[in-house]
């Protein structure tokens, strides 16, 4: 008995599918969580933010003093002296061991505002990187959401096909029974069997589309390829007016924030260009310890040390005719950024208005499609009763079936469109 039980268990395991799909019901919120943790594109933008943060530290380090030191040991050769006509040569012995140590320090006191402008520029670059990260997050979410909603639509279309296949199968049985009673032609059975094959083919195509889309979505989300995603969609609704959505867009749109930061960065670029035309002031200090003393004849084998502190002023005269061109260019860049920001505001307003209108239209479309399904169902029932009473042709039945199928499929699409346009508004306004 013991060995028979083991053999039975092994036989059961042997017939179990090795790649059985794991069904995973997923909400939109869970979908976005997977995007956050597994999107490689988004991870790249997060790294860019980290890089920009280090850029601020590097810009602030320009306020620190510059300290340089040098140490050298040398072998000195003897000195040869001649007159201006290279005659009357005389040689002097020089201490052969030489040493040199120097320490220099410089602290910038005034750089024409370049350091402060550089720090502000670095901070703006970090803000720009953060906005890019948010924009990438919104784009990745919306991209994956589109696949997710396609999966949702296909799944609902499959249900429509399955119900129509079941209904058609029952109708075929009824027609076969009428044929056996001599009240229907064999051709009627054949025509509906062809209809059944078309329905099965349509269902097969949807199943294949779903398998392809599910595979791609699993790859994007970093899930096992055997996972079957079951969308659980909450139909987003909003009572907000168009003006409220426009306000949301002005406050949260990453695209608009990018152009705004572009304006600020152009302003700092202008300040940097102007700083090149201003003097640079620094405190300087140095100490030197050298030997031997070779500035006397004969040279002296001694160590000598000297130091100094003071104020250094540096001004590039060439900046008067070079940097002014950079300033003019920076002013034009600033004006371009202003114009780009205005264009972005105009485009954003148009996009929000379009998305809001399409969202309202999607509700009207759903109401129309629901009414169409109701009328198609009534028409199908009337034609079916007339056909069973031999008052309608099989072609009338086929037309009624196709009208009913198309109406139900369009209703599924209309429901999905409501969700899509709702999230499209959130994507455009930067609140996805």
């Amino acid at each position: 008995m013991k060995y028979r039980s083991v053999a039975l268990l092994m036989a059961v395991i042997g017939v179990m599918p090795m790649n059985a799909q794991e069904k995973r019901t997923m909400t939109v919120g869970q979908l976005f969580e997977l995007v956050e943790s597994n999107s490689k594109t988004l991870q790249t933008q997060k790294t860019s933010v980290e890089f920009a943060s280090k850029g601020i530290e590097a810009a602030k380090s320009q306020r620190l003093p510059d300290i340089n030191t040098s140490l050298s040991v040398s072998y000195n050769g003897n000195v040869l002296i001649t007159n201006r006509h290279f005659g009357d040569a005389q040689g002097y012995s020089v201490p052969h061991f030489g040493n040199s140590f120097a320490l220099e320090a410089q602290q910038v006191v005034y750089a024409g505002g370049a350091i402060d402008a550089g720090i502000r520029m670095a901070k703006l670059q970090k803000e720009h990187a953060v906005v890019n990260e948010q924009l990438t997050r919104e784009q990745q979410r919306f991209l994956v959401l589109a696949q997710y909603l396609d999966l949702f639509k296909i799944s609902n279309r499959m249900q429509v096909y399955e119900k129509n296949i079941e209904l058609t199968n029952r109708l075929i049985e009824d027609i076969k029974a009428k044929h056996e009673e001599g009240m229907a032609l064999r051709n009627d059975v054949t025509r509906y069997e062809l209809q059944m094959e078309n329905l099965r083919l349509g269902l097969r195509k949807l199943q294949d589309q779903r398998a392809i889309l599910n595979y791609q979505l699993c790859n994007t989300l970093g899930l096992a390829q055997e996972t079957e995603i079951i969308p659980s969609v909450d139909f987003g609704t909003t009572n907000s007016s168009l003006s409220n959505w426009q306000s949301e867009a002005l406050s949260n749109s990453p695209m608009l924030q990018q152009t705004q930061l572009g304006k600020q960065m152009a302003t700092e670029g202008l300040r940097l260009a102007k700083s090149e035309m201003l003097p640079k002031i620094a405190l300087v200090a140095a100490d030197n310890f050298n030997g031997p003393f070779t500035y006397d004849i004969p040279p002296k084998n001694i160590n000598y040390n000297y130091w100094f502190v003071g104020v250094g002023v540096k001004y590039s005269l060439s900046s008067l005719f070079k940097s002014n061109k950079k300033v003019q260019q920076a002013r034009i860049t600033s004006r371009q950024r202003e114009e780009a920001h205005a264009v972005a505001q105009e485009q954003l307003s148009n996009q929000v208005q379009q998305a809001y209108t399409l969202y309202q239209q999607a509700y009207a479309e759903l109401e129309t499609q629901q009414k169409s399904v109701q009328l198609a169902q009534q028409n199908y029932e009337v034609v079916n009763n007339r056909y069973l009473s031999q008052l309608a042709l099989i072609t009338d039945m086929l037309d009624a079936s196709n009208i009913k199928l198309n109406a139900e499929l369009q209703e599924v699409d209309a429901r999905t469109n409501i969700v899509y346009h709702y999230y499209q508004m959130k994507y455009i306004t930067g609140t996805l």
Side-chain angles (χ1 to χ4, degrees):
M1 288 296 294
K2 176 180 178 181
Y3 295 108
R4 289 179 181 177
S5 300
V6 172
L8 180 61
L9 178 62
M10 294 300 293
V12 171
I13 294 175
V15 298
M16 289 178 62
M18 297 302 293
N19 294 321
Q21 283 193 316
E22 173 193 355
K23 294 186 177 182
R24 178 169 178 173
T25 302
M26 187 178 299
T27 63
V28 173
Q30 293 170 336
L31 179 76
F32 290 165
E33 288 176 2
L34 288 172
V35 171
E36 188 70 27
S37 58
N38 295 325
S39 172
K40 296 180 177 62
T41 305
L42 184 57
Q43 184 58 45
T44 300
Q45 292 300 324
K46 291 180 179 179
T47 304
S48 297
V49 173
E50 184 180 355
F51 177 80
S53 298
K54 296 301 180 181
I56 297 176
E57 297 178 11
K60 288 181 177 180
S61 68
Q62 297 301 310
R63 289 174 172 169
L64 301 176
D66 292 326
I67 302 175
N68 298 304
T69 183
S70 63
L71 174 65
S72 65
V73 178
S74 62
Y75 178 85
N76 301 320
N78 292 326
V79 175
L80 175 65
I81 299 177
T82 68
N83 59 26
R84 297 293 290 173
H85 303 287
F86 301 99
D88 194 18
Q90 298 183 30
Y92 294 91
S93 177
V94 175
H96 296 302
F97 176 76
N99 58 274
S100 175
F101 174 76
L103 178 64
E104 299 177 356
Q106 178 175 296
Q107 175 63 60
V108 176
V109 177
Y110 177 72
I115 295 177
D116 290 338
I119 293 173
R120 288 192 295 268
M121 180 69 82
K123 289 180 178 179
L124 289 173
Q125 287 173 343
K126 181 186 176 182
E127 290 182 34
H128 195 270
V130 171
V131 172
N132 278 341
E133 179 191 348
Q134 179 61 24
L135 178 61
T136 302
R137 178 179 290 107
E138 297 277 318
Q139 290 172 341
Q140 291 298 305
R141 284 182 174 184
F142 192 66
L143 178 64
V144 172
L145 180 66
Q147 293 179 308
Y148 175 86
L149 292 179
D150 282 343
L151 199 63
F152 174 73
K153 179 173 68 176
I154 290 174
S155 298
N156 287 335
R157 278 176 156 251
M158 287 170 57
Q159 292 179 10
V160 170
Y161 267 90
E162 288 168 354
K163 290 179 181 179
N164 277 269
I165 287 174
E166 182 180 352
L167 181 63
T168 302
N169 189 53
R170 290 200 303 266
L171 185 59
I172 289 175
E173 295 299 324
D174 292 340
I175 296 175
K176 285 181 177 179
K178 291 177 64 62
H179 173 64
E180 291 176 359
E181 296 173 2
M183 299 174 63
L185 300 174
R186 175 61 192 171
N187 186 53
D188 293 353
V189 179
T190 303
R191 295 284 293 271
Y192 248 95
E193 287 177 341
L194 288 173
Q195 176 79 349
M196 173 68 81
E197 292 303 316
N198 288 331
L199 289 173
R200 286 173 176 168
L201 178 60
L203 178 60
R204 172 59 188 270
K205 289 181 178 180
L206 288 174
Q207 289 171 337
D208 292 342
Q209 291 176 13
R210 193 192 188 289
I212 294 170
L213 196 58
N214 187 85
Y215 183 89
Q216 294 174 348
L217 192 55
C218 286
N219 276 343
T220 303
L221 298 176
L223 299 176
Q225 295 172 357
E226 294 78 18
T227 305
E228 181 182 353
I229 298 174
I230 309 297
S232 176
V233 177
D234 180 17
F235 281 76
T237 57
T238 177
N239 296 321
S240 298
S241 63
L242 176 59
S243 60
N244 289 336
W245 282 103
Q246 295 283 15
S247 298
E248 286 283 344
L250 291 175
S251 301
N252 300 301
S253 170
M255 296 293 292
L256 205 59
Q257 291 175 15
Q258 278 186 331
T259 57
Q260 179 63 36
L261 287 170
K263 287 171 50 181
Q264 298 176 10
M265 292 171 71
T267 300
E268 296 304 327
L270 179 59
R271 289 175 180 170
L272 284 170
K274 289 180 177 180
S275 69
E276 295 183 10
M277 303 180 67
L278 298 174
K280 311 296 186 292
I281 302 174
L283 299 176
V284 294
D287 184 82
N288 290 272
F289 182 81
N290 301 323
F293 187 80
T294 58
Y295 299 100
D296 196 4
I297 300 297
K300 297 179 180 179
N301 190 20
I302 60 174
N303 291 321
Y304 61 99
N305 183 78
Y306 66 93
W307 59 271
F308 68 87
V309 294
V311 177
V313 179
K314 181 180 179 180
Y315 184 75
S316 175
L317 294 175
S318 60
S319 66
L320 295 175
F321 53 85
K322 286 185 176 180
S323 297
N324 61 335
K325 304 299 188 299
K326 294 182 180 180
V327 171
Q328 293 172 7
Q329 188 179 30
R331 286 198 178 101
I332 295 174
T333 300
S334 182
R335 189 169 71 248
Q336 285 179 328
R337 299 293 174 83
E338 288 277 357
E339 294 168 352
H341 183 64
V343 170
Q345 285 181 313
E346 179 182 332
Q347 292 177 343
L348 180 63
S349 177
N350 291 338
Q351 290 172 356
V352 172
Q353 190 274 338
Q354 181 183 19
Y356 184 82
T357 302
L358 292 176
Y359 177 66
Q360 299 296 326
Q361 178 184 314
Y363 270 104
E365 182 181 359
L366 178 60
E367 292 178 3
T368 300
Q369 296 303 332
Q370 287 175 333
K371 186 65 176 177
S372 297
V373 169
Q374 181 181 356
L375 294 174
Q377 180 65 36
Q378 291 175 0
N379 178 66
Y380 178 82
E381 293 173 357
V382 170
V383 174
N384 183 47
N385 291 333
R386 288 172 59 83
Y387 175 74
L388 295 178
S389 301
Q390 295 184 321
L391 298 176
L393 300 175
I394 188 65
T395 54
D396 297 328
M397 275 297 300
L398 290 172
D399 289 341
S401 298
N402 289 329
I403 291 172
K404 175 176 172 295
L405 174 64
N406 290 331
E408 291 171 346
L409 291 175
Q410 290 175 10
E411 182 191 14
V412 166
D413 294 348
R415 288 183 180 277
T416 307
N417 286 338
I418 289 178
V419 184
Y420 176 82
H421 289 301
Y422 171 74
Y423 283 108
Q424 185 182 41
M425 281 196 302
K426 293 179 72 67
Y427 168 65
I428 292 173
T429 56
T431 57
L432 186 59

